[in-house]
Amino acid sequence: SDFALVDSEGVSLPDSEWPHSQHNPQWTDGPTGPGGRVLLYDNGNGIGRSRVVEYDVDLGTKTVTQLWSWTEPDWFNPTLGDADRLPDGLVLITQGFNRARTPESTDHSELVELDPPNDVVWRLSFNDPQWPVYRAQRIDGCELFANTRFCDR
């Protein structure tokens, strides 16, 4: 309760905009200094919606500015998920799904690459709800398998 949460215009946001059971916070430098930005996957426990959100954290003024958030209708999973900033500025999102935790749901896991705040670049759906996905990482295939036939290295 020591910090104020505001939007990008400086308007106070309700407590429901704070993260609820976040995963894998990723700290980067921001306009307020080193380690001033945090990107995270917010499971949304207690409010029933999952999302990815990025904040600018100013420790001097104790102000947290919500820069953007992204979600989709009916997207909620209380236990799984991940968000990673990629070198090109895009965000790789793991929309995790765990049928054991939400057996009544017909949802499924997906990987989404996002150009923040709202442009989906691509999506990979795991249509079988028995396949839970927790986290994903972008791996350059040419770094793993240096094949001169397919890679310009």
Side-chain angles (χ1 to χ4, degrees):
S1 64
D2 292 346
F3 283 78
L5 179 63
V6 299
D7 67 13
S8 59
E9 304 296 320
V11 177
S12 292
L13 292 172
D15 286 345
S16 62
E17 289 300 311
W18 284 106
H20 298 81
S21 296
Q22 63 276 5
H23 273 165
N24 197 31
Q26 195 175 54
W27 288 91
T28 58
D29 293 343
T32 58
R37 268 201 184 157
V38 63
L39 172 72
L40 56 87
Y41 183 97
D42 177 11
N43 286 103
N45 287 323
I47 59 172
R49 70 172 164 86
S50 298
R51 66 182 176 154
V52 173
V53 61
E54 187 171 26
Y55 300 104
D56 181 59
V57 181
D58 187 331
L59 297 174
T61 64
K62 294 188 175 186
T63 302
V64 177
T65 303
Q66 183 175 301
L67 302 173
W68 60 271
S69 72
W70 179 82
T71 188
E72 292 187 318
D74 302 321
W75 172 30
F76 174 65
N77 190 280
T79 60
L80 304 177
D82 185 26
D84 293 314
R85 171 88 53 202
L86 301 174
D88 60 5
L90 301 177
V91 176
L92 178 62
I93 300 167
T94 307
Q95 290 179 291
F97 175 71
N98 183 344
R99 190 166 188 84
R101 290 294 303 261
T102 52
E104 70 285 353
S105 176
T106 59
D107 210 349
H108 55 274
S109 295
E110 294 187 315
L111 303 181
V112 175
E113 194 168 280
L114 183 73
D115 186 0
N118 295 312
D119 296 326
V120 173
V121 177
W122 61 262
R123 175 186 309 265
L124 172 65
S125 297
F126 296 84
N127 292 326
D128 186 339
Q130 299 298 325
W131 290 19
V133 177
Y134 179 49
R135 290 188 176 154
Q137 301 295 321
R138 168 64 69 93
I139 299 174
D140 183 342
C142 291
E143 289 180 13
L144 285 176
F145 310 105
N147 184 328
T148 57
R149 181 173 173 204
F150 299 107
C151 300
D152 293 335
R153 295 188 186 173

